[in-house]
Amino acid sequence: MGSRKSEDDPNVETIETTLEFDADTHRQPQPSEGFIKLIQNDSVILIPRPSQDPKDPLNLPTWHKGVIILLVGLYSAISVLATSGLGAVFPYVVKDYPDQATRATDLLIYPTLFMGIGNLVSMPLTLALGRRPIFLISLLMLAVTGLWCAFSTSLTSHIAGRNFLSMAAGQSEALAPFIVEEIHFLHERSTKIAWYIGVQAAGTAGMFVATTYIVPQFGLKWWYLIITFISFGILALSFFFVTETMYNRADDPLAESDPDQKPTTRESHRVRPEIYGPRTWKHDLKMFHYKANWSEVLIFYKQTAQGFCIPSIMWLLLLNGACLGVYVYHASTFAVILMAEPYNFKSAWLGWVQLVQVLDCVLLIPIVGYGSDLLVKRLSAWRKGMFVPEDRFISLALPIIAVILACVIYGQAGAHPEKWHWMAIAAPYHIGLFAFMSANLVAITYSIDSFPKQGGALLMVICVGRGFISFGLSYSTVPLIDATGYDGAMNILAIICGVLGAITIPMYFLGPRFRRWALRTFWAVDKSL
């Protein structure tokens, strides 16, 4: 028990148990070891270790980090709206293509697929070129393709424009949360990602309400133009405030790889502008901070392929896909059910139903965001300061139970609307979204906590994988309803979510072994593991 020396580096110790740790060690804990010292002498250790350079993104002032969360959240919100917002006003879209109604459904189906393709193309480039240029180029592409769609003169051109728009929007799934993660420490990541998702969901909900009024009154052209104007506005603000978040701390003489340095806490951390030079606007506005390293692209794709072989990552992908499947099912059918007998909802009312998504944010941020960070700190203190990434899984308990109940209630209300209040449709719809956002938050945080150097590739595994799952579900929704009815289809999804939810328990205990196996097999962090 205790620790042993690595064959690769005699200065690096490998923790053999989560329950024992040398409390007197002064070595900065390494996330790559899987088990991390997070609490020491009642102080939270800053992981990763920030350098003393003011230009280190971890040293950004709190207000600047908050602005970055707001801007990437708004980018994600407008991306989600642009790719999925047509569903609520699709009858008005079809009027523009009266003889091509069936083919017009491609405007709704293909965006999810092309968002995944956008991730596959762009995420590797963030390692070769940096996060800032890819993020800004994505925003510019989103605005330009919005103009394309607004002035398209045929359905073929409209579909093509939306496909490229969706590729630009794809970075809202992996790159945007990756940027948020990179400017925050391990003990606060869940909270900050919850705020990011909250901005995204609240922004999308508000603009969804506006969509139900804009399209019927002013037409689809102005809807796209408004999206374009907002995208240009976010682009202008992002140019000034979304700085490069990729930073090589290994070049710092006090880097986290130095085994002789004491752990860094809020109290002990100091920024040294007199040594490294101050952070300046000239530095922040620079587009490319690193020389292009194209070999990183191949490494990224290799790490992505390896990510599909890690059981805990694959399980999180499937859980995300299942929760997304429930949300896609609800989003595709709730309007049809509510507008029919006996509810007789008007089209405009659907936007206000969508606005209730704000309540999902109200639940997500304190329960899964702050709650997860608070829980891992408490459990780390109980383990004599040791943090275990699988502690994040505990916060999945409420969302998993909630999504199962939401499936059952929604299915019964959809099959027998005369016996149920309309809230039996609206409430499960939002509960399903809460479950998906929670699963997404945990998957993002766990992946980067467990494999910080491969975090970008693993985020792409989860985000792109679930996108392809969603694309398949988009095609299967109507046939599944026709074959089994609303109750039968939702019971199937409830069972799938229940099985994947039950796997949380063995995954909590087996996760450390899977992580150590992956580190040893794929990335040779410590061959003696």
Side-chain angles (χ1 to χ4, degrees):
M1 307 297 282
S3 63
R4 63 173 181 270
K5 301 296 182 181
S6 166
E7 293 176 357
D8 296 333
D9 185 351
N11 292 319
V12 177
E13 295 176 332
T14 300
I15 308 303
E16 293 185 298
T17 174
T18 62
L19 299 179
E20 296 186 15
F21 189 82
D22 183 1
D24 297 325
T25 184
H26 292 305
R27 185 175 60 83
Q28 178 79 356
Q30 300 298 302
S32 60
E33 294 171 352
F35 306 109
I36 312 162
K37 188 74 177 294
L38 182 62
I39 307 292
Q40 181 165 295
N41 299 327
D42 296 326
S43 294
V44 177
I45 297 172
L46 301 182
I47 303 170
R49 179 203 295 274
S51 71
Q52 296 183 338
D53 184 358
K55 295 179 287 296
D56 184 340
L58 288 172
N59 292 328
L60 284 169
T62 301
W63 71 265
H64 199 156
K65 293 182 179 181
V67 171
I68 291 176
I69 292 175
L70 176 63
L71 288 174
V72 298
L74 290 175
Y75 157 70
S76 297
I78 200 68
S79 296
V80 172
L81 177 75
T83 54
S84 62
L86 287 185
V89 292
F90 193 64
Y92 297 97
V93 177
V94 173
K95 290 180 180 178
D96 293 336
Y97 309 105
D99 299 326
Q100 306 175 75
T102 301
R103 186 170 175 237
T105 59
D106 289 349
L107 295 169
L108 304 181
I109 294 174
Y110 279 98
T112 301
L113 174 64
F114 278 87
M115 287 181 76
I117 294 174
N119 273 303
L120 286 171
V121 173
S122 298
M123 278 301 291
L125 296 179
T126 65
L127 273 70
L129 302 174
R131 306 353 170 195
R132 173 176 162 84
I134 302 304
F135 180 73
L136 294 180
I137 290 171
S138 298
L139 264 168
L140 178 61
M141 184 176 172
L142 187 67
V144 171
T145 52
L147 289 175
W148 176 353
C149 293
F151 293 101
S152 61
T153 56
S154 68
L155 179 57
T156 299
S157 176
H158 191 179
I159 292 172
R162 279 186 64 78
N163 290 344
F164 280 99
L165 180 147
S166 300
M167 290 181 66
Q171 283 57 257
S172 64
E173 295 197 319
L175 176 57
F178 195 40
I179 288 173
V180 176
E181 293 273 13
E182 284 192 310
I183 60 176
H184 293 101
F185 299 104
L186 182 150
H187 69 278
E188 59 185 3
R189 285 173 180 164
S190 184
T191 299
K192 304 308 179 183
I193 287 294
W195 275 106
Y196 154 73
I197 295 175
V199 171
Q200 178 198 59
T204 302
M207 289 185 284
F208 193 100
V209 175
T211 296
T212 61
Y213 289 93
I214 293 171
V215 175
Q217 294 185 36
F218 303 102
L220 198 57
K221 175 182 177 179
W222 275 102
W223 183 73
Y224 278 120
L225 287 175
I226 290 172
I227 288 175
T228 298
F229 298 151
I230 294 174
S231 298
F232 273 124
I234 298 172
L235 173 62
L237 291 172
S238 297
F239 178 78
F240 290 102
F241 293 106
V242 178
T243 63
E244 178 58 66
T245 60
M246 184 169 69
Y247 186 85
N248 188 1
R249 295 179 185 86
D251 292 338
D252 192 289
L254 298 179
E256 61 179 347
S257 58
D258 187 344
D260 297 322
Q261 292 299 316
K262 294 182 179 181
T264 301
T265 63
R266 294 281 189 190
E267 296 78 11
S268 65
H269 180 48
R270 296 291 182 272
V271 177
R272 307 286 297 276
E274 70 277 8
I275 296 177
Y276 297 92
R279 173 182 284 274
T280 63
W281 279 107
K282 181 179 179 180
H283 172 272
D284 286 352
L285 297 181
K286 186 177 179 181
M287 184 65 73
F288 299 96
H289 287 256
Y290 300 95
K291 182 179 179 181
N293 184 0
W294 298 109
S295 63
E296 290 290 340
V297 174
L298 295 178
I299 293 173
F300 187 92
Y301 282 125
K302 179 181 178 181
Q303 291 175 346
T304 300
Q306 291 167 335
F308 283 102
C309 301
I310 303 174
S312 53
I313 299 298
M314 277 302 299
W315 165 70
L316 285 170
L317 165 60
L318 294 175
L319 182 63
N320 260 255
C323 291
L324 178 59
V326 172
Y327 175 65
V328 168
Y329 186 100
H330 289 171
S332 302
T333 59
F334 87 99
V336 176
I337 297 173
L338 291 179
M339 294 180 72
E341 294 285 349
Y343 305 126
N344 297 317
F345 269 51
K346 296 179 180 179
S347 178
W349 297 357
L350 299 178
W352 295 102
V353 171
Q354 194 80 7
L355 189 62
V356 183
Q357 284 186 3
V358 174
L359 293 179
D360 290 314
C361 308
V362 173
L363 291 173
L364 178 77
I365 292 171
I367 295 177
V368 186
Y370 285 94
S372 177
D373 283 337
L374 178 62
L375 179 65
V376 298
K377 283 187 282 189
R378 292 287 178 86
L379 290 176
S380 298
W382 176 71
R383 293 195 189 91
K384 300 181 180 179
M386 188 65 63
F387 165 74
V388 179
E390 281 72 23
D391 287 341
R392 300 284 188 191
F393 296 164
I394 298 175
S395 59
L396 285 172
L398 177 61
I400 289 172
I401 294 172
V403 74
I404 294 172
L405 292 175
C407 286
V408 175
I409 294 173
Y410 189 96
Q412 291 299 314
H416 311 286
E418 69 282 356
K419 298 181 180 179
W420 293 80
H421 191 271
W422 63 266
M423 280 296 294
I425 297 296
Y429 171 39
H430 295 297
I431 292 173
L433 176 60
F434 167 72
F436 167 62
M437 292 194 301
S438 301
N440 183 33
L441 188 155
V442 171
I444 291 171
T445 310
Y446 174 81
S447 298
I448 296 180
D449 285 352
S450 301
F451 307 98
K453 293 181 180 179
Q454 297 80 27
L458 298 183
L459 285 186
M460 194 168 78
V461 169
I462 294 170
C463 296
V464 175
R466 75 177 183 222
F468 290 145
I469 292 173
S470 175
F471 177 67
L473 289 170
S474 298
Y475 273 106
S476 64
T477 298
V478 174
L480 186 61
I481 294 172
D482 292 340
T484 64
Y486 286 107
D487 50 351
M490 292 310 299
N491 287 340
I492 292 172
L493 287 173
I495 292 171
I496 293 173
C497 291
V499 171
L500 290 170
I503 294 175
T504 306
I505 297 173
M507 199 60 67
Y508 179 82
F509 294 102
L510 296 175
R513 291 191 178 187
F514 293 143
R515 284 188 286 107
R516 296 174 69 175
W517 170 80
L519 291 169
R520 180 187 66 235
T521 304
F522 297 140
W523 301 302
V525 170
D526 184 354
K527 294 180 180 179
S528 65
L529 282 174

